[in-house]
Amino acid sequence: MDTRTLGTHGPKVSALGLGAMGMSDLYGPADEAESIATIHAAIDAGINLIDTGDFYGSGHNEMLIRDALRDRNRDDVVISVKFGGRRTPDGAFQPVPPDTDPAAVKDRLAFTLRRLGTDHVDVYRPARLNPNVPIEDTVGAIAEMVQAGYVRHVGLSEVGAETLRRAAAVHPICDLQIEYSLLSRGIEAEILPTARELGTGITAYGVLSRGLLSGHWTPDRTLTGADFRAHVPRFQGENLAANLALVDALRSVADRLGAMVAQVAIAWVASRGTDIVPLVGARRRDRLQESLAATDVVLGADDLAAIEAAVPAGAAAGHRYPEQLMAGLDSEANRS
């Protein structure tokens, strides 16, 4: 597994990271034993970056990672944690701003360290911007935890260019975690250039657009209310049909390359720069193996042109989140 560095000041990580959210939340039931086996397989394959959130499964995801790492060397793994999402006992997300004030930073970190069974988090980041809490205050509180040794690096998630600049003025930001895929290219206009100017890496999630670009999605697939995608516009009606037509066009390119659709989609994100680390959200070992093979896909100039002709920038039908959640994304605040 090749390695990349998360920004100018961040840790060295594998060229692919593992996003663990789906093992606990939002995509329907998952098998815990298979989830742990998948984490083990990822580590054995050279993946050392594992991404989680303290609100994924209301803490379950962190405890799952703890269990998976019991017989592994903790220092061989870079654990990235988002915080701030608020849940209710029935698992619903509370419709309130994220919990990111300075006192909350320290309180939530304390619980994260206990659930993970570790004495430090490698990258700690607010999951979303709270418009009522200056980003300088949040980053300043995390910086105090860096000084105290409980956190190694500061990251951000789904913020716009202006917020990123303000945060970086307080403390170096090793990476910005943000959705980036063939179907979600909004970062390219302003956010990505700003990150590069500041020496901030990009950890790209949603590289398969929550399964749309996996090559396995079918129009007749039924989604239950427990699956977050049942509420995402891109998976609805005419939007879904239009998006799957794009996938069919991409499949033609993948076939010529002797690769799977998912592998080409991941390889495209990885090709955008060595400062970008794609996260794959595999919940099973077979899906992990598909994603790992993306590192063997070499894309030349003609291949890249064919991919972008199949899925042009801005071609996705529907927003990447429901309207209410889109409205709360700082990264989308200045888009027309």
Side-chain angles (χ1 to χ4, degrees):
M1 176 69 67
D2 290 337
T3 59
R4 299 183 173 189
T5 302
L6 288 183
T8 304
H9 305 283
K12 183 175 289 188
V13 299
S14 47
L16 289 181
L18 179 66
M21 179 189 76
M23 297 177 179
S24 300
D25 219 354
L26 296 177
Y27 292 160
D31 181 280
E32 190 162 305
E34 180 62 23
S35 295
I36 290 175
T38 300
I39 294 173
H40 287 166
I43 294 171
D44 292 342
I47 289 179
N48 76 332
L49 174 62
I50 301 178
D51 179 77
T52 184
D54 66 1
F55 50 92
Y56 291 166
S58 300
H60 174 269
N61 206 238
E62 290 177 323
M63 293 186 287
L64 179 75
I65 292 170
R66 175 201 63 199
D67 292 345
L69 297 181
R70 284 192 193 279
D71 59 350
R72 303 298 175 118
N73 185 344
R74 163 67 181 90
D75 293 332
D76 289 341
V77 179
V78 174
I79 302 178
S80 168
V81 179
K82 291 181 290 298
F83 71 91
R86 305 194 207 197
R87 309 292 289 266
T88 58
D90 63 358
F93 281 87
Q94 298 188 52
V96 293
D99 197 15
T100 64
D101 66 79
V105 168
K106 300 171 185 179
D107 178 68
R108 296 185 74 127
L109 177 60
F111 284 97
T112 279
L113 294 173
R114 178 61 62 90
R115 285 190 293 260
L116 285 170
T118 185
D119 62 357
H120 72 279
V121 168
D122 297 286
V123 186
Y124 200 53
R125 70 182 84 243
R128 296 289 186 268
L129 180 70
N130 184 331
N132 303 317
V133 179
I135 191 62
E136 292 86 350
D137 293 355
T138 303
V139 170
I142 303 174
E144 290 180 18
M145 296 296 92
V146 173
Q147 290 297 317
Y150 297 116
V151 172
R152 296 288 188 263
H153 304 279
V154 182
L156 291 175
S157 179
E158 287 288 356
V159 300
E162 179 184 353
T163 300
L164 179 57
R165 288 186 186 280
R166 289 168 51 199
V170 176
H171 189 278
I173 305 300
C174 78
D175 73 318
L176 170 61
Q177 188 175 113
I178 196 164
E179 186 166 352
Y180 189 33
S181 73
L182 280 165
L183 294 180
S184 298
R185 297 180 60 175
I187 74 168
E188 293 176 343
E190 185 178 8
I191 294 173
L192 181 55
T194 301
R196 285 174 168 162
E197 176 190 335
L198 296 171
T200 296
I202 297 292
T203 302
Y205 75 88
V207 294
L208 296 182
S209 198
R210 297 178 178 81
L212 271 178
L213 291 170
S214 68
H216 300 295
W217 205 273
T218 58
D220 57 352
R221 180 167 174 175
T222 301
L223 293 172
T224 66
D227 191 316
F228 169 71
R229 292 168 293 194
H231 312 286
V232 174
R234 287 183 180 172
F235 290 84
Q236 312 302 317
E238 294 181 357
N239 287 346
L240 177 61
N243 291 327
L244 289 180
L246 296 173
V247 175
D248 286 340
L250 183 61
R251 194 188 311 276
S252 296
V253 180
D255 289 345
R256 291 199 298 273
L257 291 169
M260 302 180 71
V261 173
Q263 292 159 2
V264 172
I266 295 168
W268 179 86
V269 175
S271 77
R272 309 309 286 175
T274 56
D275 54 348
I276 297 174
V277 177
L279 289 177
V280 296
R283 300 193 292 170
R284 307 194 320 250
R285 283 168 287 180
D286 58 341
R287 293 289 188 253
L288 173 67
Q289 291 304 316
E290 286 182 15
S291 296
L292 286 168
T295 60
D296 297 324
V297 177
V298 178
L299 300 175
D302 291 344
D303 302 321
L304 291 169
I307 290 168
E308 298 202 23
V311 189
H319 290 306
R320 58 192 179 100
Y321 281 105
E323 183 177 352
Q324 181 180 6
L325 295 182
M326 286 291 291
L329 290 176
D330 183 63
S331 53
E332 299 282 347
N334 296 317
R335 303 243 189 103
S336 58

